Amino acid sequence: MTNKLEIAKNSYWVGYVDDRKVPFHRLILEKGTTYNSYLLMTEKPTVIDTVDIEFGRVYVEKLSKIIDPKEIEYIVINHVEPDHAGALPALAAKAPNAKIVTTALGAEELKDMFKLHNREFIIIKDGDKLDIGGKTLQFFETPYLHTEETMITYCIEDKILYPCDQFSTHIATYELFNDLAKENYMDDFEVYYKLIMHPHRPYVQDMIEKIKELDIEMIAPSHGYILRENAQSFIKAYNIMSQPSDESKKALILFSTMTGNTTKVAKLIGEGLEDKGIEHRIINTKNASNEEIKEAIMAADAIFFGSSTRYADMVGNIEEVLKDIKDMNLSNKLAIAFGSYGWSGEAVQVVHDYLLESNMKVIDSSYIIKTTGMDHVQLPLRVKFVPDEKEQNRIMEVGRVIGDLLLA
């Protein structure tokens, strides 16, 4: 294959085809993959995404045969994972004049990952535009598709969407365009969506809302086929696959409290759930019978169990509830521990330990990171004293994240 392939006037694919069996996200990509990078040869030459860090040197060598890297004015990084931004250090070293275009969080992560603190960054926000001399790029933030810093790029004149991981397919293809495909790739397209995007289904809907007014004739993702035939059908497919379930989900927030701080935490979790349209009920265990609590647990899809800490232990009768759930069949329900404390805060961990002895799916930080990539949500949720404004936002975010898990 040549070093470049024209996808539109003065716009080229300059990526790398990896036709091995590729280790990826604890999987083996049996059909390999492509790392799609794009070069827009405008008055202000622009690269959109790079390739995997393993092929950085080869990538820059091939790119240098097409353009002198010193002429590159912008490098757009839609997503900072090493399979997209991995060749950035090698490219940046050869393109000293290039400004790096990304989100605020993306800039922070790239600086730390690749020691680029002395480079000039252009920070984008939703709807921002960049004139690259003959073409105009427009940017949209798409957090959690599939990590928090992600954005997408749209070329107005070419009517091409560069959505990074979104609309991708893990196939090593030398044909590159979907209308030239020699095999049926729709199963691979759907599997990619289910593995990478579906855990973030509500955010897929947010993305579709942002691009619905764009005139998109081609989708040029970061893996697999460039979708120049029936591009809109792939947007429709994402829309269908990410629709909320018709079945309403319910959450229950159970807690014991000593001074009322845990009550405040419970209500803030509830507000986060409300933001996601999740019906919820809050019960202080001292105000409900054992039978009422059991009925509420059986009716819920996710249950938060909380307690204040007193003398390194739980308070009230929440422990009796936790003992009872060991004998209940709750295997299809999510469980989350939370609580407030003044000094040491052991009770929250004790609650969490009880939950691990049940047959519920216990949600903690490890589970969140492995299923969504989010690393800012700390579970079990421990809150010291009365939550200030920053803590309130953190608590509500827990409710929103669990709401997303229920919707997905």
Side-chain angles (χ1 to χ4, degrees), residues 2 18 63 72 118 128 149 233 271 286 296 330 356 372 378:
T2 60
D18 189 354
L63 191 61
I72 297 172
N118 295 325
D128 283 355
E149 86 296 339
S233 69
E271 289 182 31
K286 77 173 184 178
L330 306 173
L356 292 174
T372 71
Q378 299 298 313

Side-chain angles (χ1 to χ4, degrees), residues 251 253 269-278 280 304 399-400 402-403:
I253 306 170
I269 292 171
E271 289 182 31
L273 291 165
E274 283 180 8
D275 287 345
K276 295 298 180 177
I278 304 297
H280 70 279
F304 294 81
R400 289 190 283 266
I402 298 303

Side-chain angles (χ1 to χ4, degrees), residues 307 309 337-340 345-353 380-382:
S307 175
T309 298
F338 76 96
S340 65
E346 293 90 346
V348 181
Q349 193 59 53
V350 175
V351 171
H352 184 73
D353 291 343
L381 174 63
R382 301 168 74 248

Side-chain angles (χ1 to χ4, degrees), residues 20 79 83 158 175 241 336 389:
R20 308 168 301 164
H79 175 37
D83 56 326
D158 292 340
E175 291 79 34
M241 292 188 290
I336 307 96
E389 184 176 353

Side-chain angles (χ1 to χ4, degrees), residues 128-144:
D128 283 355
K129 295 179 181 178
L130 179 66
D131 182 353
I132 60 172
K135 296 181 192 255
T136 308
L137 302 182
Q138 187 170 17
F139 308 100
F140 299 90
E141 296 179 85
T142 55
Y144 304 116

Side-chain angles (χ1 to χ4, degrees), residues 133-233:
K135 296 181 192 255
T136 308
L137 302 182
Q138 187 170 17
F139 308 100
F140 299 90
E141 296 179 85
T142 55
Y144 304 116
L145 293 180
H146 59 110
T147 51
E148 188 177 2
E149 86 296 339
T150 306
M151 70 180 198
I152 58 178
T153 301
Y154 174 67
C155 182
I156 295 174
E157 290 79 9
D158 292 340
K159 301 180 181 180
I160 298 177
L161 182 69
Y162 298 93
C164 201
D165 273 329
Q166 299 162 66
F167 306 105
S168 284
T169 307
H170 276 313
I171 294 178
T173 169
Y174 291 93
E175 291 79 34
L176 285 173
F177 295 108
N178 67 320
D179 54 307
L180 301 179
K182 296 178 180 178
E183 61 180 323
N184 188 332
Y185 56 86
M186 283 308 299
D187 285 347
D188 300 284
F189 177 82
E190 291 174 4
V191 166
Y192 185 100
Y193 167 83
K194 291 174 182 176
L195 289 176
I196 306 297
M197 295 298 158
H198 195 68
H200 312 272
R201 187 167 67 183
Y203 298 99
V204 173
Q205 285 291 305
D206 291 344
M207 176 272 296
I208 290 173
E209 181 67 22
K210 290 181 180 184
I211 68 172
K212 68 179 183 180
E213 301 299 331
L214 301 180
D215 185 4
I216 299 170
E217 293 184 355
M218 185 185 302
I219 301 173
S222 284
H223 295 294
Y225 289 107
I226 297 170
L227 307 171
R228 70 178 180 185
E229 181 179 64
N230 298 324
Q232 288 294 326
S233 69

